[in-house]
Amino acid sequence: MKKFIVAGVLAIGFFTASAQTKIGYINTDELIGVMPEAEKADAELKEYQASLAQQGQDMMKELNDKDSLFVRDSAKLSPSMKEIKKNELISLYQRVQNWNQQAQEMYQQEAQKKIAPLRTKAMEAIRAV
């Protein structure tokens, strides 16, 4: 009976000794956010987003200009030219409508390209620790 009690105490001591493993948690997004390279990537992404927005504004301005030109000159145009100009306006309007979605997808792809090396570096640092 004493052997079972001694064996039980030793087993409990063994399990509590192995339970002392230390585990840590880290938020990789926060780690990436404090990396110096993140500021540079963020600045580049903001610049890219601004250029995409500028392209969208230019397309919208072109649409507005062509629309006002069509409205102004529509009385002088023949029916076939009106149809051609109207189709051009519709096509341009559709391009403007699709631009927002395209710009968002392009931005997300660019963000992934910029963040992937940072995420890799962060994961390597975590593994090293």
Side-chain angles (χ1 to χ4, degrees), residues 67-119:
D67 183 46
S68 15
L69 195 66
F70 176 74
V71 169
R72 188 184 72 202
D73 296 340
S74 65
K76 301 175 194 173
L77 298 174
S78 67
S80 61
M81 278 305 287
K82 278 185 187 180
E83 190 65 31
I84 291 171
K85 295 287 186 181
K86 190 166 100 174
N87 288 337
E88 286 178 8
L89 282 173
I90 290 170
S91 174
L92 186 56
Y93 178 75
Q94 289 172 342
R95 277 185 37 221
V96 168
Q97 291 297 315
N98 292 331
W99 175 250
N100 289 334
Q101 183 178 358
Q102 286 178 325
Q104 192 173 31
E105 290 171 4
M106 291 167 62
Y107 177 79
Q108 288 174 350
Q109 290 172 353
E110 188 70 18
Q112 289 300 324
K113 280 191 236 178
K114 299 283 184 192
I115 294 174
L118 296 175
R119 189 170 302 279

Side-chain angles (χ1 to χ4, degrees), residues 46-58:
K46 284 182 182 177
E47 182 179 316
Y48 185 69
Q49 187 177 28
S51 72
L52 291 175
Q54 183 62 45
Q55 287 176 345
Q57 290 173 356
D58 291 345

